Amino acid sequence: MILQINTHQPWRSLKFALILSLIYFGAIGRLSAQKDLSSDSLMIRKIYDNALTAGKIGPNLYHLTSKIGSRISGSANAQKAVEWGKKKMEEIAPDRVYLQEVTVPHWIRGKKEKSFFISKSGKKIPMSVCALGGSIGTGGVLSAQVIEVNSWGELAALENKDVQGKFVFFNRAMDPKEIETFKAYLAVVDQRARGAIEAGKRGAAGALVRSMTLAIDEVPHTGAMSYDPDVKKIPAAALSTKSADVLSHELKRNSDLIYSLEMNCIQLPDVKSYNVIGEIKGSVYPNEFITVGGHIDTWDLSEGASDDGTGFVQTLEVLRLIKNRDQKPERSIRAILYMNEESGAHGALKYAREAKSAAETHIAVMESDAGGFTPRGFRVEGSQEVKEKMKAWKPLFIPYKVAELHSGHRGVDLAPMKDQAKALISLDCDDQRLFDIHHSALDTYDKINIREVELGAAAMASLIALISKHGF
Amino acid sequence: MILQINTHQPWRSLKFALILSLIYFGAIGRLSAQKDLSSDSLMIRKIYDNALTAGKIGPNLYHLTSKIGSRISGSANAQKAVEWGKKKMEEIAPDRVYLQEVTVPHWIRGKKEKSFFISKSGKKIPMSVCALGGSIGTGGVLSAQVIEVNSWGELAALENKDVQGKFVFFNRAMDPKEIETFKAYLAVVDQRARGAIEAGKRGAAGALVRSMTLAIDEVPHTGAMSYDPDVKKIPAAALSTKSADVLSHELKRNSDLIYSLEMNCIQLPDVKSYNVIGEIKGSVYPNEFITVGGHIDTWDLSEGASDDGTGFVQTLEVLRLIKNRDQKPERSIRAILYMNEESGAHGALKYAREAKSAAETHIAVMESDAGGFTPRGFRVEGSQEVKEKMKAWKPLFIPYKVAELHSGHRGVDLAPMKDQAKALISLDCDDQRLFDIHHSALDTYDKINIREVELGAAAMASLIALISKHGF
């Protein structure tokens, strides 16, 4: 490049040269960025083509849900799922497949719950209920009056005599006006998580919680609840939304009604279980890890097709898609089937502890636990630099309709890695159907569209390939 | 505003004043745009809140699919749907509800089809088939050899003797690598539309067409086919994708196999039927019309929950949402339930003819006929000005996750208005599940998520409110 130098104004020429060189190197930067973009785009197209024409999501999800079925932590089925997951990973033949031992709680529902109340006219009105996961049983039939609350403030404002010995009925509903159902869920799930503690503190006999769903039907939805070691444990049950509406309606004219609940659930001794991990060694930076995971365990009311059968089989599929590429990934990839997401995340906690004690560098941890419906993008927690990089990759995901980016991950199994990973990333899916089935008997194989799950696996494998190539 | 004028350089002052005034009016423009944006955003939020908390989509779709059921053009059920749709519109109480008479074809399937071939080993292999809509019957069992083609080029390259008296088997499959299944559908549907004509031209005995779906199963998918008055009519049937694969596999080793088909469908005399129209008069521009529509008729194999039960009830819902606003729309709104989209669009053609002869001004015509799954945005055909306006409104739709904009509408019932409307707009929906059920026995109520349909209705009502307020 020849520049005409004006010798009378050397500073000007210098400035001009500087500007030109900036333009020049800027252009090179852009050209190289464009070249990257085009080779990245081809890389992603290949991953999608493989996922959509040779994917294993369909048969794998069918086997997991129909041949193994529900797989609550500590159960024989959970162990079967561990073994099958390990076998499936071995068939993919990454560099290493191994189990990571973890101790998990073992809660069982026992005989199906019974519940009803006696109406003003003396009629026995049956209620659709299920024990919340981890609840103690009632030890026979527990009968008591009911006090309904729709906020923590309402509970706090009650006098002790209005709570003691009663069921506290947490009836705050998910807000249908919230466009993202996941947000509506997060806004009410505190009732399930802390209901028994807060009601217990006030001397209540039990906690009844409105199911976390927008559907108005007879299907109760379970989920994790917790106790506080300093507060007396009381039984906690979920009511179907229809039952909750019926009870609430009746309470308005009959506030002294007697509600009866029988739950036979018990906490058995802890059980030895496992995370299943498949690893492909990075060709350039073998000591930098990118993980992808879903969880093995489910609740006991269904085969857990959506939660998190889809994340389970997507984890296998991402491993297969990365393994089947023409070249080894630059960074090490770990596919992790986590045990016990639903009731304590002991698997994820174990993984994080092991990673810390081995002083491993994790540049990204990723999870699919958002239902497995049509993927729409990613949720990312990380530095501004990480977010800028994700933003720069956005054009690559637009053709696949998975380019929405949001701040803050939603992976329970990612949280333990918060201080150890540069980026925590959740696959984000269309969530309109999710809470109709979530944690209920309706979470079955027929609700899942295999192609939607394939698209999610392809999206994750593509993002992993990008991170592996470019780093964060 | 006071400007200090430099009297020595009047032109400079003038220029300065001009620039300042440009900035000033630019700012006013921006402020007013911002004010609009914020009042528009409130308007849209109200529409969504109404749709998501007081919507009628659920009970209406249940009635239409479960109480009325399939409603093919010319059938008694189609007439029931006309009457029920009119009644529902009258309940909403717009300024006017009326029927628009239209003559439609009346095709019936008759006794269920039978089909099989004899394998090399002499085994009778049953095939899952259904007549394509509008096909002639076979007049007893039609048995013939089969020649498979996977492109028009392959058919053209065949010698006449290889086609004459045979079934031409159009087996070009939808491409699973196409992310939008709708595009994959549009790339193969020519086989269904023109298969009988092109095979008939070459002297074939019949046309067999692979079902238009990505699912590999035993469910045949029907749909419109056409004849050319100058070409001998031959029967045309759809094969399920599994049957198509079995037949194709067998043909490779047994090209002389004899295929048998029995179809009892017939074309009955045309029938008098109706479009149903509800109209709200515009308060400012009563002579400018915005329409929204879905179609009444379905195929006969199912209750048409998705196609187009969802568009039908969304049309009612948009009318309700616009009617229930605090103020009348500035422009006139027409909700149109079209008759006969599936086999000739005679309803839409009639509407366009009437609009033309009345010299009505249509600034936008909109249709929902994309399956009724989670809405993702709009497809727009119109001037650059129309597209720019839609683009400017995009931020208003981002909070509702329905902000994707594409060029070119997909509404069969919109096409006749091409030269009469400023904008033709289709609601665009997630289409991953659509073709699994489209035009088949699987298109039933249980496949539909009511909330997804509500979101679609709210999106359309919001866009209509914007067009009504700002024009195009």
Side-chain angles (χ1 to χ4, degrees):
Chain A
M1 185 186 257
I2 297 168
L3 298 174
Q4 199 187 340
I5 308 276
N6 179 337
T7 46
H8 299 294
Q9 295 188 318
W11 66 270
R12 255 203 162 163
S13 298
L14 197 68
K15 204 170 98 180
F16 184 57
L18 188 69
I19 289 170
L20 267 189
S21 72
L22 278 175
I23 292 170
Y24 177 69
F25 288 110
I28 286 184
R30 271 201 306 283
L31 272 179
S32 117
Q34 273 165 20
K35 204 184 127 206
D36 257 2
L37 210 67
S38 117
S39 86
D40 288 346
S41 130
L42 288 174
M43 173 178 83
I44 291 175
R45 186 66 256 185
K46 275 192 183 175
I47 289 172
Y48 267 85
D49 287 354
N50 189 333
L52 293 172
T53 60
K56 305 291 183 203
I57 296 276
N60 280 347
L61 188 63
Y62 181 77
H63 185 95
L64 182 66
T65 55
S66 307
K67 302 294 172 182
I68 297 177
S70 78
R71 41 198 184 279
I72 193 169
S73 284
S75 66
N77 269 4
Q79 181 57 24
K80 270 191 211 168
V82 164
E83 288 160 18
W84 179 77
K86 181 164 180 280
K87 197 184 108 203
K88 284 286 133 183
M89 278 196 187
E90 284 163 352
E91 285 171 17
I92 295 164
D95 296 319
R96 189 179 165 216
V97 175
Y98 59 104
L99 299 181
Q100 192 170 55
E101 196 181 307
V102 51
T103 303
V104 298
H106 186 200
W107 177 86
I108 57 168
R109 186 171 302 277
K111 224 179 88 195
K112 195 174 158 23
E113 304 83 350
K114 277 188 208 154
S115 190
F116 61 91
F117 67 81
I118 304 295
S119 75
K120 196 146 200 165
S121 60
K123 235 175 110 182
K124 186 173 163 178
I125 311 290
M127 295 271 99
S128 299
V129 306
C130 67
L132 290 181
S135 175
I136 60 169
T138 52
V141 179
L142 174 62
S143 294
Q145 288 184 345
V146 178
I147 180 83
E148 175 178 340
V149 297
N150 286 278
S151 69
W152 298 115
E154 277 185 35
L155 179 60
L158 289 172
E159 291 187 41
N160 278 345
K161 70 170 173 49
D162 292 329
V163 181
Q164 275 164 7
K166 290 188 182 175
F167 285 104
V168 177
F169 170 30
F170 296 92
N171 195 28
R172 183 160 32 104
M174 277 173 65
D175 182 359
K177 300 193 295 301
E178 185 63 70
I179 301 303
E180 282 183 30
T181 64
F182 219 109
K183 272 194 198 159
Y185 171 74
L186 294 175
V188 297
V189 72
D190 53 351
Q191 300 173 101
R192 194 186 76 203
R194 296 190 53 80
I197 296 172
E198 300 303 330
K201 275 183 193 166
R202 303 293 305 277
L208 304 174
V209 183
R210 181 187 184 88
S211 284
M212 313 289 147
T213 175
L214 285 164
I216 303 298
D217 61 20
E218 285 295 14
V219 183
H221 296 237
T222 190
M225 51 84 67
S226 49
Y227 288 122
D228 181 326
D230 297 332
V231 179
K232 195 186 163 214
K233 292 182 179 183
I234 58 172
L239 270 67
S240 76
T241 47
K242 260 197 184 165
S243 287
D245 286 346
V246 167
L247 178 59
S248 178
H249 182 77
E250 183 77 10
L251 282 169
K252 282 181 183 59
R253 52 181 191 168
N254 184 11
S255 61
D256 298 335
L257 67 82
I258 300 297
Y259 189 98
S260 295
L261 176 67
E262 184 178 354
M263 303 204 302
N264 305 288
C265 37
I266 38 173
Q267 196 76 45
L268 299 175
D270 286 355
V271 166
K272 186 162 82 176
S273 188
Y274 305 93
N275 295 326
V276 185
I277 305 178
E279 187 176 309
I280 299 174
K281 230 182 162 67
S283 58
V284 185
Y285 311 100
N287 296 323
E288 295 192 9
F289 291 91
I290 305 166
T291 74
V292 59
H295 63 86
I296 301 171
D297 63 306
T298 64
W299 286 105
D300 59 324
L301 296 171
S302 76
E303 61 209 41
S306 160
D307 184 12
D308 187 23
T310 55
F312 186 128
V313 299
Q314 282 174 330
T315 300
L316 295 177
E317 183 70 357
V318 170
L319 189 67
R320 189 188 71 78
L321 289 167
I322 298 290
K323 178 67 178 23
N324 281 14
R325 290 189 56 213
D326 302 332
Q327 62 194 78
K328 278 208 125 188
E330 297 80 355
R331 289 163 166 91
S332 290
I333 312 295
R334 277 195 192 137
I336 309 172
L337 301 172
Y338 295 99
M339 181 52 75
N340 185 235
E341 188 269 353
E342 295 291 5
S343 52
H346 288 92
L349 288 163
K350 177 64 178 275
Y351 180 82
R353 274 200 309 276
E354 296 279 314
K356 191 168 199 174
S357 75
E360 287 172 348
T361 302
H362 279 71
I363 62 164
V365 292
M366 194 180 300
E367 191 182 26
S368 167
D369 188 18
F373 299 98
T374 301
R376 298 197 62 148
F378 296 97
R379 296 192 173 263
V380 188
E381 187 174 321
S383 63
Q384 203 48 38
E385 198 192 336
V386 160
K387 284 178 184 166
E388 289 302 324
K389 221 147 193 176
M390 291 286 291
K391 224 164 141 182
W393 290 333
K394 205 176 147 126
L396 291 165
F397 289 99
I398 287 175
Y400 303 95
K401 299 180 155 247
V402 64
E404 291 176 16
L405 280 179
H406 301 278
S407 268
H409 76 94
R410 280 179 182 162
V412 169
D413 283 334
L414 301 182
M417 291 295 288
K418 192 174 162 54
D419 300 327
Q420 292 164 247
K422 261 185 130 169
L424 293 85
I425 305 173
S426 309
L427 180 69
D428 199 29
C429 297
D430 188 297
D431 61 6
Q432 297 306 326
R433 291 169 181 245
L434 175 56
F435 292 97
D436 292 0
I437 63 173
H438 185 247
H439 290 183
S440 84
L442 300 179
D443 184 2
T444 50
Y445 180 77
D446 56 301
K447 307 300 191 308
I448 303 302
N449 181 279
I450 295 306
R451 193 175 151 86
E452 293 175 0
V453 189
E454 288 171 348
L455 289 169
M460 288 194 290
S462 299
L463 180 54
I464 287 172
L466 285 171
I467 302 172
S468 170
K469 183 173 168 189
H470 302 289
F472 261 153
Chain B
M1 185 186 257
I2 297 168
L3 297 173
Q4 199 187 339
I5 308 277
N6 180 338
T7 45
H8 298 295
Q9 295 187 317
W11 66 268
R12 256 202 163 165
S13 299
L14 197 67
K15 203 169 97 181
F16 184 58
L18 188 70
I19 289 169
L20 267 189
S21 72
L22 278 176
I23 292 171
Y24 176 68
F25 288 110
I28 286 184
R30 271 201 306 283
L31 272 178
S32 119
Q34 273 165 20
K35 205 185 129 206
D36 256 1
L37 210 67
S38 116
S39 86
D40 288 346
S41 131
L42 288 173
M43 173 179 83
I44 291 175
R45 185 67 256 185
K46 275 191 183 174
I47 289 172
Y48 268 85
D49 287 355
N50 188 335
L52 293 171
T53 60
K56 305 290 182 205
I57 295 275
N60 280 348
L61 188 63
Y62 182 76
H63 185 95
L64 182 65
T65 55
S66 306
K67 303 293 173 184
I68 297 177
S70 78
R71 42 198 183 279
I72 194 169
S73 284
S75 66
N77 269 3
Q79 180 57 24
K80 272 191 209 168
V82 163
E83 288 160 16
W84 179 77
K86 180 164 180 280
K87 197 184 108 203
K88 285 285 134 183
M89 277 197 187
E90 284 164 351
E91 284 171 18
I92 296 164
D95 296 319
R96 188 179 166 215
V97 175
Y98 59 103
L99 299 182
Q100 193 170 55
E101 195 180 309
V102 50
T103 303
V104 298
H106 187 201
W107 176 85
I108 58 168
R109 186 171 302 278
K111 223 178 90 195
K112 194 174 158 22
E113 303 83 350
K114 276 188 209 154
S115 189
F116 62 90
F117 67 82
I118 304 296
S119 75
K120 196 146 197 164
S121 60
K123 236 175 109 183
K124 185 174 163 176
I125 311 290
M127 295 272 97
S128 299
V129 306
C130 67
L132 290 181
S135 174
I136 58 169
T138 52
V141 179
L142 173 63
S143 294
Q145 288 184 345
V146 179
I147 180 82
E148 176 178 340
V149 297
N150 286 278
S151 69
W152 298 115
E154 277 184 36
L155 178 60
L158 289 173
E159 291 186 40
N160 279 344
K161 69 170 174 49
D162 292 329
V163 182
Q164 275 164 7
K166 291 187 181 175
F167 285 106
V168 177
F169 170 31
F170 296 91
N171 195 28
R172 182 159 35 102
M174 276 174 65
D175 182 359
K177 300 194 296 300
E178 186 62 70
I179 302 304
E180 281 182 29
T181 63
F182 220 109
K183 272 193 198 161
Y185 170 75
L186 293 176
V188 297
V189 73
D190 52 351
Q191 301 173 102
R192 194 186 75 204
R194 296 191 52 80
I197 296 172
E198 300 303 331
K201 276 183 194 166
R202 304 294 305 277
L208 304 173
V209 183
R210 182 187 182 88
S211 284
M212 313 288 147
T213 175
L214 284 164
I216 304 297
D217 61 20
E218 285 295 14
V219 183
H221 296 236
T222 190
M225 50 83 67
S226 49
Y227 289 121
D228 181 327
D230 297 331
V231 179
K232 194 185 163 215
K233 292 183 178 183
I234 58 173
L239 270 67
S240 76
T241 48
K242 261 197 184 165
S243 286
D245 286 346
V246 167
L247 178 60
S248 178
H249 182 76
E250 184 78 10
L251 282 169
K252 282 180 184 60
R253 51 181 192 166
N254 184 11
S255 60
D256 297 336
L257 67 82
I258 299 298
Y259 189 97
S260 295
L261 176 67
E262 184 179 354
M263 302 203 306
N264 305 288
C265 37
I266 38 173
Q267 196 77 45
L268 299 176
D270 286 355
V271 167
K272 186 162 82 175
S273 188
Y274 305 93
N275 294 326
V276 185
I277 304 177
E279 185 176 311
I280 299 174
K281 230 182 163 67
S283 58
V284 185
Y285 311 99
N287 296 323
E288 294 193 9
F289 291 92
I290 304 166
T291 74
V292 59
H295 64 86
I296 301 171
D297 62 307
T298 65
W299 285 106
D300 59 324
L301 296 171
S302 76
E303 62 209 40
S306 161
D307 184 13
D308 189 22
T310 55
F312 186 128
V313 299
Q314 281 174 331
T315 299
L316 295 176
E317 184 70 358
V318 171
L319 189 68
R320 190 188 71 78
L321 289 167
I322 297 290
K323 177 69 177 19
N324 281 14
R325 289 189 57 212
D326 303 333
Q327 63 194 79
K328 277 207 129 187
E330 297 79 355
R331 289 165 166 90
S332 290
I333 312 295
R334 277 196 192 139
I336 310 172
L337 301 173
Y338 294 98
M339 182 53 75
N340 185 237
E341 186 270 352
E342 296 290 6
S343 51
H346 287 92
L349 289 163
K350 176 64 178 275
Y351 180 82
R353 272 201 309 276
E354 295 280 313
K356 192 167 197 173
S357 76
E360 288 172 347
T361 301
H362 279 70
I363 63 164
V365 292
M366 195 179 301
E367 190 183 26
S368 167
D369 188 18
F373 300 99
T374 300
R376 298 197 64 147
F378 296 97
R379 295 190 174 263
V380 188
E381 187 173 321
S383 64
Q384 202 50 38
E385 198 191 335
V386 161
K387 284 178 184 165
E388 288 302 324
K389 220 148 193 175
M390 290 286 291
K391 224 164 143 184
W393 290 333
K394 204 176 148 127
L396 292 165
F397 290 98
I398 288 175
Y400 303 95
K401 299 180 155 249
V402 63
E404 290 176 18
L405 280 180
H406 301 278
S407 268
H409 77 95
R410 280 180 182 161
V412 169
D413 283 333
L414 301 182
M417 291 294 288
K418 194 174 162 55
D419 300 327
Q420 292 165 250
K422 261 185 130 169
L424 294 83
I425 305 174
S426 309
L427 181 68
D428 199 29
C429 296
D430 188 297
D431 61 6
Q432 297 306 326
R433 291 170 181 244
L434 174 56
F435 293 97
D436 292 1
I437 63 173
H438 185 247
H439 290 184
S440 84
L442 299 179
D443 184 2
T444 50
Y445 179 77
D446 57 300
K447 307 301 190 307
I448 303 302
N449 181 279
I450 295 305
R451 192 175 152 85
E452 293 175 0
V453 190
E454 287 171 348
L455 289 169
M460 288 193 290
S462 299
L463 180 55
I464 285 172
L466 285 171
I467 302 172
S468 170
K469 184 172 166 190
H470 302 289
F472 261 152

